[in-house]
Amino acid sequence: MIKHFFPRFNIFFVFSFYIFNILWFNVGLSGVIIYWLLRVGFLSENFYENPAVGISILLFISTIIGLIVTRVAGKLMLNPICEMLASMKKLAGGDFNVRIGNSGLLRPKELRDFSEEFNAMAKELGSIEILRSDFVNNFSHEFKTPIVSLRGFAKLLKKGNLSNDERQEYLDIIISESDRLAALATNVLNLSKIENRTSFSGHSLFNLSEQIRRTILITELKWSEKRLELEVDIKEDIYFLGNPELLSQVWVNLLDNAVKFSYQSGKLRIRLLNYNDCVVFKVEDFGCGMDEEIKAHIFDKFYQGDRSRSTEGNGLGMTVVKKIVSLHKGEILVESRPSQGTIVTITLPKQANEKQKPLL
């Protein structure tokens, strides 16, 4: 009960408590020692008649007791601070598993709060280190795979004893792997630009409807190759105040994913809705869909639901999408079931000064 009661006091109370008890302990123990010296006859009963002798003896005894008590009390008071300093040195040295205990008799509230915040910081830094290590490993894998492929097929082409069909096939693979490397570099660069940002600049009022129409045209080659039927519902020109360059990446990534995971000769539904306080973009495919495990990780860096990695992509697209949407204070919702397709909904709130479309 005492251990739960004392830590509620602040550092001023605890410090005062120590000083007060040191003084009283010093005076009390000095009195006991002088009484004992009188009883054993070491001091005569009339020693107090000579004040100089009495004061000297009292000062000597008090000094010895004070040094011993102060040493013990000081160690008790400074132990938590020494522990904190040692823990901070370990943390600075890269040991993110270090923790500071926040229990103990007469540990003030300030030190308990510091310990809790320090432990939370160390835990967060440990998580960041794990993410950094995973990022390096995944990036190395994603970068190395196409390079090895390029090197292998370049060696085969160098031999020269190939048919024209084989040469064309190997050249197509080299071009495809080069495109994959370029896409990986682009996504990593985009992610590095926006990952640590909490706001964005370069925002302007632009025609969001027209931007999405252009994105559909840009991805036409991909969805036409799969003979997808597009159902587009963008009936009006919707103007939005945001960063058009960043948002363009969102639509391209979402449409690429929708096409990629749609079945051959399937259907793709794209909608843009305008409300008083927000705009809503929806893209729905009727392809392979996702289970709950895959859906829980789709925003993780380098995560790919297709563990065979037979489909195009590097697992960064949805990470970039989520960050850009967050920068616009928006929300992203993913609904999906295996073999039933996926619906991705982006909700972007309108700015306070955003009005109707500008007069042209």
Side-chain angles (χ1 to χ4, degrees):
M1 180 177 178
I2 293 177
K3 289 185 178 181
H4 289 288
F5 176 74
F6 277 115
R8 292 165 55 188
F9 294 104
N10 60 26
I11 195 167
F12 175 77
F13 174 85
V14 174
F15 183 76
S16 303
F17 179 82
Y18 271 113
I19 298 299
F20 178 80
N21 281 279
I22 288 171
L23 290 174
W24 274 107
F25 186 80
N26 195 353
V27 171
L29 190 57
S30 297
V32 171
I33 291 175
I34 290 175
Y35 176 77
W36 179 76
L37 291 176
L38 288 170
R39 291 293 301 269
V40 299
F42 187 80
L43 292 175
S44 60
E45 293 185 2
N46 61 349
F47 83 98
Y48 55 84
E49 295 178 358
N50 187 346
V53 175
I55 291 173
S56 298
I57 294 173
L58 185 62
L59 283 175
F60 177 77
I61 294 173
S62 298
T63 301
I64 299 299
I65 295 173
L67 288 173
I68 296 173
V69 174
T70 303
R71 171 71 176 172
V72 175
K75 190 174 182 180
L76 290 174
M77 292 175 64
L78 294 177
N79 262 348
I81 297 176
C82 293
E83 181 187 355
M84 290 175 182
L85 290 173
S87 299
M88 284 190 284
K89 287 181 179 178
K90 289 182 180 179
L91 186 67
D95 182 5
F96 300 118
N97 294 318
V98 65
R99 299 290 185 271
I100 299 177
N102 60 358
S103 61
L105 189 63
L106 292 180
R107 186 179 288 258
K109 181 179 182 299
E110 287 83 356
L111 296 186
R112 285 167 55 85
D113 292 343
F114 180 88
S115 299
E116 290 174 2
E117 294 300 325
F118 178 90
N119 292 340
M121 178 183 68
K123 183 179 179 181
E124 184 66 22
L125 288 173
S127 301
I128 292 173
E129 176 62 18
I130 292 172
L131 289 175
R132 186 198 66 82
S133 178
D134 288 344
F135 179 85
V136 171
N137 291 334
N138 289 329
F139 181 79
S140 300
H141 173 79
E142 291 291 338
F143 205 75
K144 181 180 178 181
T145 302
I147 289 178
V148 171
S149 179
L150 287 170
R151 184 170 180 268
F153 286 106
K155 282 185 174 181
L156 290 174
L157 286 170
K158 190 176 181 180
K159 290 181 179 179
N161 55 344
L162 300 172
S163 66
N164 187 56
D165 290 341
E166 287 176 327
R167 184 177 292 105
Q168 291 301 319
E169 180 184 355
Y170 295 163
L171 287 172
D172 287 340
I173 292 174
I174 288 175
I175 292 171
S176 175
E177 292 299 289
S178 299
D179 291 341
R180 182 177 169 187
L181 272 177
L184 175 61
T186 300
N187 277 332
V188 170
L189 182 61
N190 290 336
L191 187 60
S192 67
K193 286 180 179 178
I194 64 175
E195 191 169 26
N196 296 319
R197 292 170 62 178
T198 56
S199 61
F200 63 90
S201 57
H203 56 280
S204 59
L205 193 63
F206 67 98
N207 192 328
L208 181 60
S209 303
E210 185 61 27
Q211 185 182 63
I212 293 175
R213 291 190 191 102
R214 285 199 304 268
T215 305
I216 296 172
L217 292 176
I218 290 171
T219 57
E220 181 180 4
L221 181 62
K222 294 182 179 181
W223 52 262
S224 60
E225 281 181 353
K226 297 189 81 168
R227 298 180 181 177
L228 297 180
E229 176 191 345
L230 260 65
E231 212 177 274
V232 182
D233 183 9
I234 308 177
K235 294 186 173 66
E236 59 178 310
D237 285 338
I238 299 173
Y239 284 80
F240 182 76
L241 184 63
N243 188 305
E245 183 182 348
L246 292 179
L247 287 173
S248 178
Q249 297 177 39
V250 173
W251 320 132
V252 170
N253 274 300
L254 292 181
L255 288 180
D256 273 346
N257 282 344
V259 172
K260 185 193 308 179
F261 297 108
S262 290
Y263 295 130
Q264 192 75 20
S265 302
K267 186 167 67 172
L268 206 59
R269 185 177 293 153
I270 302 167
R271 302 180 67 192
L272 182 63
L273 307 173
N274 190 21
Y275 297 98
N276 290 331
D277 58 346
C278 67
V279 293
V280 177
F281 173 81
K282 286 191 176 187
V283 56
E284 180 179 3
D285 68 71
F286 298 86
C288 57
M290 297 177 285
D291 57 27
E292 291 300 321
E293 180 185 357
I294 295 175
K295 195 165 71 171
H297 296 282
I298 58 172
F299 298 115
D300 295 348
K301 295 174 188 173
F302 292 108
Y303 183 81
Q304 289 180 309
D306 180 10
R307 293 176 176 82
S308 67
R309 298 180 184 261
S310 58
T311 56
E312 295 180 4
N314 45 58
L316 287 175
M318 292 302 289
T319 309
V320 172
V321 166
K322 185 176 182 182
K323 182 60 181 178
I324 293 174
V325 171
S326 297
L327 285 173
H328 285 82
K329 312 300 181 186
E331 296 179 353
I332 179 169
L333 175 65
V334 179
E335 304 168 85
S336 185
R337 289 185 180 180
S339 303
Q340 294 186 25
T342 301
I343 305 174
V344 180
T345 304
I346 303 288
T347 303
L348 298 174
K350 294 180 179 179
Q351 302 293 331
N353 59 343
E354 186 176 348
K355 304 297 182 181
Q356 297 178 352
K357 68 177 183 178
L359 296 174
L360 300 178

